[in-house]
């Protein structure tokens, strides 16, 4: 069952009914001002940091699910009938409804009783504001008298405090009204130098800024008193809950359309120029007024929208493909790349599953996300890498997360996850391969954000590498620490107290439990570091890295092979985890994928056996589950993984993030059919037809799909902000389609399904456009490459000579 369709040409997903199984959302903004918006206009906005600068209020996990948003009410002033063109919050019957989620914008429109209304929501580039471009049309044969009401509820800035500190917050709300513009200025009187504003292009008949006056006694957003009676109360908020609502009255002749622009913005004033007059408490509006005036003009708004379109065309144009599979094309060309940008902007902070107050930018997550966006925004990737490096600890270890506003690491979700440091090496490797910008290695970065501790980025990578060598366990494998990639495999935690955080509790000294996954990760990272060293004037260091990689590989083979697959870990008692000897959790996906990615076992058949075990024991029609058999009870010595009911999350859910590791491993083993088959099982577009089962958006990946042990097998959760986005993008573009940035040029090494006749791609890389055609002439992966008509050896295309901007690449597979 479907709830809409892909409009591939316009790069939109069109939702044709409001009752999607869950709110299906989109993101607004791509620089500093952001919002999330559902298909029924739910969501909220913030400036830079979803916790510390929340502009509008949203209540998570509510009933109904999605309450609080960017609402508009349309009222027929003759009959008193009122409704919302986004269906919520009035939930009125509609004659038509469509939500178009596009690249950085969402348009929601509907019609009722001969009146059609629609709103295009977007954030212009380089501005800290959002536009609601609203249009209403009278399709009746008679004139229509219509009232339009806007509504947002302001958040008192710190979203955490806003949701808890009511003894203070009910007394501090303040607003100002001037020329029909509503200014929200809570705490501006004291230490804040920022305020929000909400403006309207039409002449207003009234306004409201106090929520409970606008809504009326004991009412919700579905039937505000002001809308019902057809007249605002002109309320001014003092304390309680400040909102912004305009009332506009229109008379529309038959067939006529009128546009109203609502603009919600964020603005900062210099601390010494906050007030006007200076000794007053009135907001100084000198610098905000021109901004407001500009965006109340339709031509300026249309221009800003055009620039936003161009921006996305530019980003997505960097890699475009045409394959025999529409789901591959759609995800690669549009939605997967778009989702990668969302993970760049949001990390794991704000979605409909991430409340914006829990997690900031993760060290591990942000480095992996780079794989998906570095080709689109290399300069910002560079900045991100240096920011991350500056939070690294002198030991080489890492805080698990940092706050986007302060860029400082914090211990809120722990540290000593012993895999963390290696992702920095892999992130930097991805950046170097894409850009060839070796200068980044010399860039100084602090440790733990301490002034004076600056060292070149290369030195940070060395400390990442050394971190593991300083922490080897009884078998010579890396100690796991708090956990590795699998945050829930807590082998030193032993938590028996309700409410204790699995992420910060440690009851064991951590000198025994080891991770085979980190072993594989270390081998891969050490090999990359060796290649980086050889390319950057540190060739003398390379043999050490290579020797350490070889030694770890040997250790993994000796102590990390279980007979038919790679073991997962050794626990605190030296017990095996992820072994045939275990009653539950006999085989885990992570080491099978990652050890092969590191090249372990590709020569001697171990990799094949591990991947065959994955196919036999872990693969389901909905994707590959994380482990089997699921843990049926809580195990003190395993931690959070066994806290989840079987089939969910890390306890044998389909954790989509690591499915691509197996896709890549299959591609490395030369098996394009298996790689693409796994790709298709979790590709959201390929699952569109079972949207009633999948339930999350069919245009973006979700973190998890319930595994075969769950009663809801096939149901997705936690869409949008997940490493799944970057890893799938990387797996399909670089390993299956095989268009892979390498240190010395662009590598072309496709491992595609046997039935594919070939594909075409356009890839911009280091300032050159590569037009690539791959043709299949035989069933295998043996490739012959011609560049500009001349056959070349190998599969890496060096930069073209003579400053040529375009290169034609032809590959034949046999
Ligand atoms: C989740 C993990 C997550 C961790 C850290 C756990 O509850 O299951 O997926 O990484 O929390 O926030
Ligand atoms: C989600 C976290 O963001 C990520 O860092 C972690 O690797 C996975 N969960 C697996 O636990």
């Amino acid at each position: 069952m479907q709830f809409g369709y892909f409009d591939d040409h316009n790069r939109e997903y069109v939702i044709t009914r409001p009752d999607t199984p869950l709110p299906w959302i989109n993101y607004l903004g791509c620089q500093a001002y952001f919002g999330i918006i559902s298909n029924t206009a739910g969501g909220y906005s913030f400036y830079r940091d979803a916790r510390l600068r929340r502009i509008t209020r949203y209540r998570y996990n509510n009933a109904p699910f999605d309450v609080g948003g960017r609402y508009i009410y349309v009222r027929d002033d003759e009959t008193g009938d009122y409704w919302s063109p986004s269906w919520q919050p009035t939930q009125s019957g509609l004659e038509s409804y469509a939500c178009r989620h596009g690249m950085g914008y969402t348009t929601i429109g509907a019609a009722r009783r001969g009146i059609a209304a629609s709103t295009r929501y977007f954030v212009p580039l380089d501005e800290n504001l959002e536009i609601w471009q609203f249009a209403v049309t009278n399709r009746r044969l008679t004139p229509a008298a219509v009232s339009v009401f806007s509504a947002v509820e302001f958040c008192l800035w710190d979203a955490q405090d806003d949701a808890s500190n009511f003894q203070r917050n009910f007394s501090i709300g303040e607003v100002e009204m001037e020329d029909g513009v509503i200014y929200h200025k809570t705490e501006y009187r004291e230490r804040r130098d920022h305020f929000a504003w909400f403006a309207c292009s039409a002449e207003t008949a009234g306004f409201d800024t106090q929520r409970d006056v606008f809504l009326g006694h004991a009412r919700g957003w579905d039937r505000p008193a002001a809308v019902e009676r057809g007249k605002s109360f002109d309320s001014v908020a003092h304390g309680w809950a400040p909102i912004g609502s305009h009332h506009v009255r229109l008379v529309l002749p038959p067939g006529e359309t009128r546009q109203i622009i609502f603009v919600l913005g964020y603005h900062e004033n210099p601390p010494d120029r906050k007030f006007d007059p200076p000794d007053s408490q009135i907001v100084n509006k000198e610098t905000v007024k021109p901004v407001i005036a500009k965006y109340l003009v339709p031509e300026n708004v249309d221009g800003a929208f055009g620039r936003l379109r161009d921006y996305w065309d530019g980003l997505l144009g960097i890699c475009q493909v045409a394959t025999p599979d529409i789901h591959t094309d759609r995800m690669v060309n549009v939605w997967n790349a778009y989702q990668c940008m969302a993970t760049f902007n949001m990390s794991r902070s704000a979605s409909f599953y991430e409340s914006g107050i829990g997690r900031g930018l993760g060290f591990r997550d942000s480095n992996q996300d780079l794989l998906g966006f570095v080709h689109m925004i290399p300069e910002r990737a560079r900045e991100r890498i240096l920011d991350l490096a500056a939070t690294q600890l002198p030991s080489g270890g890492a805080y698990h997360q940092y706050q986007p506003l302060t860029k400082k690491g914090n211990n809120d979700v722990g540290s000593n996850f012993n895999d963390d440091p290696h992702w920095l090496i892999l992130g930097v490797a991805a950046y170097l391969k894409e850009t060839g910008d070796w200068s980044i290695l010399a860039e100084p970065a602090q440790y733990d954000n301490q002034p004076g501790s600056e060292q070149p980025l290369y030195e940070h990578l060395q400390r990442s590498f050394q971190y593991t060598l300083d922490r080897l366990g009884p078998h010579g494998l890396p100690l796991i620490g708090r956990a590795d990639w699998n945050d829930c495999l807590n082998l030193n935690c032993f938590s028996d107290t309700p409410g204790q955080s699995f992420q910060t509790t440690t009851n064991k000294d951590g000198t025994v439990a080891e991770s085979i996954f980190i072993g594989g990760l270390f081998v891969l990272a050490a090999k990359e570091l060796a290649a980086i060293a050889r390319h950057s004037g540190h060739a003398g260091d390379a043999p050490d890295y290579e020797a350490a990689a070889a030694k770890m590989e040997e250790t993994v083979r000796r102590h990390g092979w279980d007979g038919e697959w790679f073991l997962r870990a050794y626990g605190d008692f030296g017990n095996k985890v992820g072994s045939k000897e275990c009653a539950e959790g006999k085989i885990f996906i992570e080491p099978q994928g990652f050890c092969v990615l590191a090249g372990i076992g590709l020569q001697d058949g171990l990799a094949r056996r591990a991947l065959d075990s994955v196919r036999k024991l872990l693969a389901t029609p909905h994707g590959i589950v994380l482990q089997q058999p699921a843990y049926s009870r809580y195990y003190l010595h395993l931690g959070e993984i066994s806290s989840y009911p079987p089939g969910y999350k890390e306890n044998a859910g389909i954790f989509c993030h690591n499915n691509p590791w197996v896709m890549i491993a299959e591609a490395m083993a030369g098996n394009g059919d298996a790689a693409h088959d796994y790709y298709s099982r979790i590709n959201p577009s390929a699952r569109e037809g079972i949207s009633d089962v999948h339930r999350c958006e069919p245009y973006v990946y979700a973190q998890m799909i319930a595994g075969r042990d769950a009663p809801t097998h096939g149901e997705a959760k936690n869409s949008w902000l997940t490493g799944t986005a970057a890893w799938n993008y990387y797996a399909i573009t670089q390993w299956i389609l095989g268009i892979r940035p390498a240190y010395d040029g662009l590598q072309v090494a496709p491992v595609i399904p046997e039935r594919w006749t070939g594909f075409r791609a356009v890839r911009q890389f280091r300032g050159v456009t590569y037009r690539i055609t791959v043709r299949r002439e035989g069933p295998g992966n043996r490739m012959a490459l011609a560049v500009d008509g001349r056959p070349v050896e190998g599969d890496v295309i060096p930069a073209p000579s003579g400053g040529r901007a375009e290169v034609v690449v032809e590959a034949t597979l046999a």
Side-chain angles (χ1 to χ4, degrees):
M1 181 181 174
Q2 293 186 199
F3 295 80
Y5 61 91
F6 285 91
D7 179 343
D8 293 318
H9 178 72
N10 286 308
R11 295 178 169 154
E12 291 174 337
Y13 191 81
V14 187
I15 300 165
T16 49
R17 41 193 290 181
D19 60 341
T20 47
L22 291 160
W24 283 4
I25 75 157
N26 193 13
Y27 283 90
L28 307 176
C30 46
Q31 289 155 321
Y33 186 105
F34 296 104
I36 55 183
I37 182 164
S38 74
N39 59 307
T40 53
Y44 59 90
S45 300
F46 59 93
Y47 173 74
R48 287 197 193 277
D49 192 310
R51 172 169 171 183
L52 300 174
R53 289 283 189 283
R54 187 79 65 98
I55 296 166
T56 58
R57 197 175 267 168
Y58 183 80
R59 289 171 186 75
Y60 273 93
N61 192 12
N62 219 316
F65 200 67
D66 180 20
V67 183
R70 302 172 181 82
Y71 294 143
I72 289 182
Y73 302 85
V74 177
R75 181 178 186 275
D76 183 332
D77 284 337
E78 273 143 40
T79 63
D81 178 54
Y82 63 90
W83 55 286
S84 303
S86 56
W87 187 69
Q88 287 280 39
T90 64
Q91 303 186 2
S92 316
L94 300 173
E95 279 144 26
S96 65
Y97 158 92
C99 165
R100 290 181 165 266
H101 283 319
M103 303 290 102
Y105 68 92
T106 286
T107 305
I108 311 176
R112 178 174 162 96
R113 298 185 179 157
I115 304 292
S118 105
T119 315
R120 182 163 75 185
Y121 301 92
F122 71 99
V123 174
L125 294 173
D126 305 319
E127 298 287 8
N128 296 323
L129 55 88
E130 66 185 64
I131 291 172
W132 311 3
Q133 212 173 352
F134 172 80
V136 54
T137 304
N138 177 11
R139 291 186 184 154
R140 297 175 184 165
L141 299 171
T142 52
V146 166
S147 275
V148 176
F149 293 85
S150 62
V152 291
E153 183 173 356
F154 292 110
C155 181
L156 309 186
W157 304 115
D158 179 334
Q160 170 111 314
D161 187 77
D162 182 70
S164 52
N165 191 8
F166 303 109
Q167 60 80 26
R168 168 178 160 89
N169 292 347
F170 284 164
S171 293
I172 63 172
E174 285 190 306
V175 296
E176 261 176 47
M177 285 298 305
E178 196 179 313
D179 303 333
V181 182
I182 297 161
Y183 295 87
H184 172 234
K185 57 166 193 175
T186 298
E187 290 189 343
Y188 189 76
R189 59 168 51 247
E190 26 137 345
R191 292 152 298 172
R192 294 191 185 274
D193 54 9
H194 45 265
F195 57 90
W197 52 273
F198 192 32
C200 165
S201 65
E203 192 187 324
T204 52
F207 64 89
D208 274 298
T209 65
Q210 183 60 284
R211 183 187 68 199
D212 296 337
V213 175
F214 175 73
L215 296 180
H217 178 67
R219 286 164 177 251
W221 294 96
D222 54 334
R223 39 184 208 110
V227 179
E228 190 172 286
R229 73 169 196 162
K231 194 174 174 357
S232 293
F233 293 94
D234 296 347
S235 58
V236 177
H238 299 286
W240 299 112
I243 63 160
S245 173
H246 307 95
H247 175 199
V248 176
R249 284 210 175 98
L250 302 172
V251 177
L252 293 165
E256 182 144 320
T257 299
R258 289 281 293 278
Q259 187 179 137
I260 306 174
I261 299 162
F262 298 99
V263 192
L264 175 65
Y266 168 93
H267 198 78
E268 288 176 0
N269 274 338
D272 57 341
R273 309 204 42 202
K274 279 172 61 168
F275 301 106
D276 179 27
D279 59 353
S280 76
Q281 289 290 294
I282 300 166
V283 173
N284 178 354
K285 306 182 182 80
E286 187 188 336
T287 53
V288 76
K289 276 188 175 168
V291 183
I292 299 175
K294 176 172 176 192
Y295 287 102
L296 295 180
V297 177
E299 295 75 55
N300 295 341
V301 170
D302 289 339
F305 186 73
R307 279 191 293 282
L308 185 66
R309 266 211 192 272
D310 294 346
Y311 169 80
W312 281 105
D313 286 351
L315 289 184
L316 300 179
I318 293 167
C319 178
Q320 289 287 299
V321 303
T323 75
D325 177 42
I326 176 75
H327 307 299
T328 300
D329 290 4
R330 204 174 254 163
M331 293 312 289
V332 170
N333 294 341
V334 185
W335 292 98
N336 195 174
Y338 183 62
Q339 185 179 1
C340 288
M341 288 300 295
T343 63
F344 165 73
N345 289 322
M346 301 287 134
S347 192
R348 304 296 172 269
S349 71
S351 73
F352 270 46
Y353 309 88
E354 301 286 2
S355 63
I357 56 183
R359 304 202 282 166
L361 275 98
F363 191 89
R364 173 204 291 145
D365 293 331
S366 297
N367 276 302
Q368 290 175 72
D369 291 347
L370 263 151
L371 293 172
F373 64 72
V374 63
H375 65 297
M376 292 186 276
I377 45 167
E379 299 81 21
R380 299 177 78 190
R382 188 181 210 272
E383 183 188 348
R384 175 65 56 84
I385 287 172
L386 294 170
D387 286 347
L388 283 163
T391 70
Q392 190 177 25
L393 299 165
S395 65
Y399 290 109
H400 209 42
Q401 69 165 22
Y402 72 95
Q403 232 23 64
L405 202 65
T406 60
K407 293 191 172 180
K408 290 220 164 81
N410 65 59
N411 268 328
D412 290 358
V413 288
S415 69
N416 297 331
F417 292 80
N418 283 351
D419 64 314
D420 271 343
H422 297 299
W423 300 110
L424 183 64
I425 301 180
L426 298 188
V428 171
Y431 174 80
L432 292 171
K433 290 177 185 174
E434 181 65 40
T435 61
D437 167 25
W438 296 95
S439 73
I440 193 174
L441 293 174
E443 206 63 55
Q446 296 172 347
Y447 285 99
D448 196 7
N449 301 107
Q450 293 305 313
S453 65
E454 290 80 0
Q455 290 294 331
L457 179 63
Y458 179 73
E459 212 242 36
H460 284 255
L461 304 187
Q462 288 180 300
R463 288 200 202 181
S464 290
F465 165 81
Q466 190 59 37
Y467 181 85
T468 288
L469 295 181
D470 292 345
R471 287 166 184 75
L472 296 177
H475 298 92
L477 288 161
L479 291 171
I480 196 167
R482 190 96 59 198
D484 60 22
W485 172 88
N486 189 332
D487 277 328
C488 299
L489 191 60
N490 314 122
L491 303 180
N492 294 306
C493 184
F494 287 77
S495 171
D496 58 5
T497 306
Q500 253 179 2
S501 160
F502 288 108
Q503 257 74 55
T504 54
T505 307
T506 304
N507 285 317
K508 296 287 172 170
D509 63 6
T511 53
V512 179
E514 300 168 299
S515 162
I516 283 90
F517 169 80
I518 302 181
L521 175 64
F522 176 83
V523 172
L524 182 62
K527 286 180 178 172
E528 289 289 8
L529 189 55
I532 291 171
R534 289 197 192 284
H535 280 81
S536 62
H538 301 95
D541 299 341
D544 280 356
Y545 305 143
E546 281 157 351
K551 184 157 180 230
M552 184 62 75
E553 180 166 341
E554 192 42 43
T555 310
V556 168
R557 285 165 175 284
R558 180 158 336 126
H559 299 293
W561 180 250
D562 196 51
E564 289 303 318
W565 56 78
F566 292 100
L567 205 63
R568 179 65 177 82
Y570 288 96
D572 181 63
F573 314 117
N575 52 302
K576 290 180 181 171
V577 179
S579 157
K580 56 180 180 299
E581 293 167 22
C582 304
E584 299 184 328
K586 288 175 189 289
I587 172 171
F588 280 65
I589 189 174
E590 304 99 309
Q592 322 315 326
F594 233 87
C595 290
V596 181
L597 244 76
I600 305 176
L602 278 170
Q603 306 305 330
D604 61 3
L606 287 195
R608 192 62 267 154
R609 274 155 76 191
L611 294 174
D612 287 345
S613 298
V614 168
R615 173 160 294 263
K616 199 162 110 205
L617 300 170
L618 299 179
T620 82
H622 294 290
I624 309 166
V625 297
L626 194 143
Q627 106 274 17
Q628 282 288 288
Y631 294 117
S632 61
R633 67 201 62 189
Y634 177 62
Y635 294 104
L636 200 60
H637 66 288
L638 297 175
E640 185 169 9
I641 189 167
S642 60
S643 75
Y644 287 112
Y648 294 105
K649 294 277 291 180
E650 282 86 343
N651 188 12
I654 295 156
F655 220 92
C656 298
H657 184 145
N658 51 32
N659 278 226
W661 300 347
V662 176
M663 295 169 205
I664 298 169
E666 286 287 7
M668 288 176 123
N671 197 353
D673 280 336
H676 195 267
D677 172 30
Y678 287 138
Y679 175 72
S680 302
R681 294 185 199 199
I682 63 167
N683 179 321
S685 162
R687 297 172 63 78
E688 186 191 18
I690 54 162
S691 286
D692 48 331
V693 176
H694 183 80
R695 300 188 81 229
C696 277
E697 296 92 333
Y699 41 91
V700 289
Y701 287 96
Q703 181 201 55
M704 191 221 22
I705 297 174
R708 65 157 79 104
D709 301 284
T712 56
H713 186 30
E715 181 189 42
K717 281 196 191 113
N718 307 347
S719 54
W720 281 98
L721 302 185
T722 157
T724 310
W727 277 103
N728 272 284
Y729 188 83
Y730 177 68
I732 184 71
T733 57
Q734 300 204 19
W735 292 93
I736 300 177
L737 302 180
I739 301 171
R740 189 152 70 234
Y743 294 112
D744 299 317
L746 188 64
Q747 192 171 8
V748 177
V751 185
I752 56 176
E754 197 182 316
R755 64 177 187 287
W756 281 22
T757 50
F759 69 92
R760 281 177 294 118
V762 180
R763 176 65 153 87
Q764 291 170 29
F765 176 69
R766 302 191 193 172
V768 178
T769 302
Y770 292 80
R771 299 193 181 280
I772 304 167
T773 308
V774 175
R775 259 182 313 119
R776 190 179 263 313
E777 293 184 341
N781 305 312
R782 210 161 23 85
M783 196 189 53
L785 202 61
V787 177
D788 287 333
R790 276 186 296 278
V792 295
E793 286 290 306
D795 57 10
V796 178
I797 309 165
S801 55
R804 264 177 313 131
E806 215 171 289
V807 170
V808 175
V809 181
E810 289 162 285
T812 49
L813 294 177

